[in-house]
Amino acid sequence: MHSEPSANDLQRFADTLPAWKYNPERRALHRRLSFASFGEALGAMVRIGVEADKRDHHPEWANVYNTVDIWLTTHDAGGVSNKDENLASAIDRMFP
């Protein structure tokens, strides 16, 4: 089952997670982080990975040199769930 977020959900994402955008093709929240170097980007991925693993909720992501693209979706739910919003908030606290 694939669920599209309601207009209220999209507004809540915009209000509470302004660094994230909803990606309808992936049914996911997306954020791009940019760093000064590959080493900093890699370090960020490790920090995020540890937090995600603690939550047993793992991101889809890609790294090219100093950027990290993150997509958060809950495959079992067919789209964005509270797990994604909570992990996005944790990432925002790490990388404001």
Side-chain angles (χ1 to χ4, degrees):
M1 175 181 161
H2 296 287
S3 59
E4 294 298 324
S6 68
N8 287 340
D9 290 334
L10 292 174
Q11 187 59 53
R12 187 179 71 251
F13 300 156
D15 291 344
T16 61
L17 301 167
W20 297 81
K21 301 297 179 227
Y22 180 71
N23 180 308
E25 291 176 8
R26 289 184 181 244
R27 292 183 171 92
L29 294 174
H30 173 260
R31 181 173 176 194
R32 173 172 283 172
L33 298 171
S34 296
F35 299 92
S37 67
F38 173 75
E40 287 184 23
L42 182 61
M45 291 178 77
V46 170
R47 287 182 61 197
I48 293 166
V50 168
E51 184 63 32
D53 203 46
K54 287 179 189 175
R55 296 165 182 265
D56 195 30
H57 191 62
H58 305 97
E60 296 178 18
W61 54 13
N63 164 248
V64 177
Y65 182 58
N66 67 337
T67 61
V68 178
D69 282 292
I70 307 166
W71 294 271
L72 300 177
T73 189
T74 304
H75 297 285
D76 293 348
V80 176
S81 75
N82 286 341
K83 289 181 176 185
D84 304 300
E85 292 180 69
N86 292 337
L87 183 53
S89 291
I91 293 168
D92 285 350
R93 287 189 296 277
M94 285 186 258
F95 304 99

